[in-house]
Amino acid sequence: MSAAATPTAVTPTATGPTATGPTATGPTAPTVPTAPTAAAAPTGPTLTATKRPPAAERVYAHVKQAVLERRYEGGTLLTEGELAEAVGVSRTPVREALLKLEVEGLLRLYPKKGAMVLPVSAQEIADVVETRLLVETHAVRKAVPAPAGLIGRLAELLARQREQAASGDLAGAAVTDRCFHAEIVRSGRNEILSRLYDQLRDRQLRMGVAVMHSHPDRIAKTLAEHEEILDALRRGDAEAAVAVVTRHVGWFQNLARGDVR
């Protein structure tokens, strides 16, 4: 009985189809599709898809940044060839980027010549200031009483702007200046108003950098007025905050009229 049990129960079960056959090959088969799946994730279409638009995007970012920071000043004529060489791309993505920037009002295209950087006009300054005053006076009044989080963020931004001004980083100081005001607008939690304000971003940055270059003493006044706005919010004095914002933003109207002080 013992000898008969050995061949019947042990031998077929250990060596037979169960262990060596389908079961051994079974796990191996799923491993094959798994390998390509893991490899496909980092390599394949995902990275190529993100890399394909960049040619036009790189040109767009290069030109826009240079215009906002006044490395390409108003009146500068940009040619497709020069930009293609500067960014290291062909002319096709350059045309695509320039068309986009023309729609945004930063350039004007001239067929077979290139694109001219549009200077900031007095009318544009006046329009931006009027819109800013409408949005920002409402936002700063609504921000009172100011939560501790808002006060803390504004204090951080003011400290960063001081450092940037001290190191001569005027472009960075202009960005932080804009962030300071945007933080107050966003604190009102009005998405429509925030989106409207965000549409002014590029014009604000361009005007801010231009002002800091042409009126270097203005940065000190800007920092002092930001401090006043912050102090008024800390005290919970809405009217004082509105008065400082009106004076601070309204200064650009004097600039547009040629009456700066």
Side-chain angles (χ1 to χ4, degrees):
M1 291 289 286
S2 200
T6 309
T8 313
V10 179
T11 311
T13 312
T15 344
T18 317
T20 329
T23 317
T25 28
T28 316
T31 334
V32 180
T34 321
T37 312
T43 345
T46 314
L47 289 181
T48 318
T50 26
K51 277 230 163 185
R52 204 183 155 201
E57 286 301 316
R58 281 203 313 273
V59 179
Y60 171 82
H62 168 80
V63 177
K64 185 168 186 174
Q65 198 67 21
V67 170
L68 295 181
E69 294 179 359
R70 282 183 81 247
R71 285 181 281 117
Y72 293 153
E73 295 195 32
T76 304
L77 185 67
L78 308 173
T79 68
E80 289 181 6
E82 287 168 346
L83 292 175
E85 190 178 345
V87 185
V89 296
S90 68
R91 293 190 178 207
T92 305
V94 172
R95 289 186 203 108
E96 200 179 320
L98 294 181
L99 282 167
K100 190 175 175 182
L101 289 162
E102 184 180 43
V103 170
E104 293 182 11
L106 294 176
L107 306 176
R108 179 173 294 143
L109 298 185
Y110 291 94
K112 298 182 182 177
K113 288 184 181 179
M116 189 184 76
V117 179
L118 292 175
V120 180
S121 67
Q123 185 59 53
E124 183 181 1
I125 294 173
D127 292 347
V128 169
V129 169
E130 183 178 11
T131 310
R132 283 189 65 186
L133 283 172
L134 287 169
V135 174
E136 292 189 39
T137 51
H138 168 78
V140 80
R141 181 178 276 112
K142 191 178 177 182
V144 175
L150 174 62
I151 297 296
R153 287 191 299 274
L154 293 178
E156 284 172 19
L157 289 167
L158 182 54
R160 186 193 307 166
Q161 194 179 14
R162 281 203 182 96
E163 288 171 11
Q164 290 164 328
S167 67
D169 180 8
L170 298 184
V175 171
T176 307
D177 184 315
R178 200 262 165 197
C179 290
F180 184 92
H181 293 275
E183 197 66 52
I184 296 171
V185 174
R186 277 195 298 269
S187 73
R189 299 177 185 274
N190 183 325
E191 290 301 318
I192 295 174
L193 211 56
S194 293
R195 281 198 295 271
L196 169 65
Y197 191 75
D198 285 344
Q199 290 173 18
L200 301 175
R201 177 183 178 277
D202 293 342
R203 288 182 168 87
Q204 280 180 261
L205 292 179
R206 197 174 174 207
M207 287 164 52
V209 174
V211 162
M212 288 178 194
H213 278 281
S214 55
H215 302 279
D217 59 321
R218 181 61 199 168
I219 184 68
K221 291 178 184 173
T222 295
L223 291 168
E225 286 165 356
H226 281 186
E227 186 68 66
E228 286 182 64
I229 294 168
L230 182 54
D231 284 345
L233 289 174
R234 277 195 183 109
R235 297 193 313 271
D237 190 339
E239 293 312 312
V242 169
V244 182
V245 166
T246 303
R247 171 166 39 95
H248 177 66
V249 176
W251 181 86
F252 284 92
Q253 284 178 326
N254 299 328
L255 180 69
R257 291 193 299 262
D259 175 27
V260 291
R261 55 181 183 275

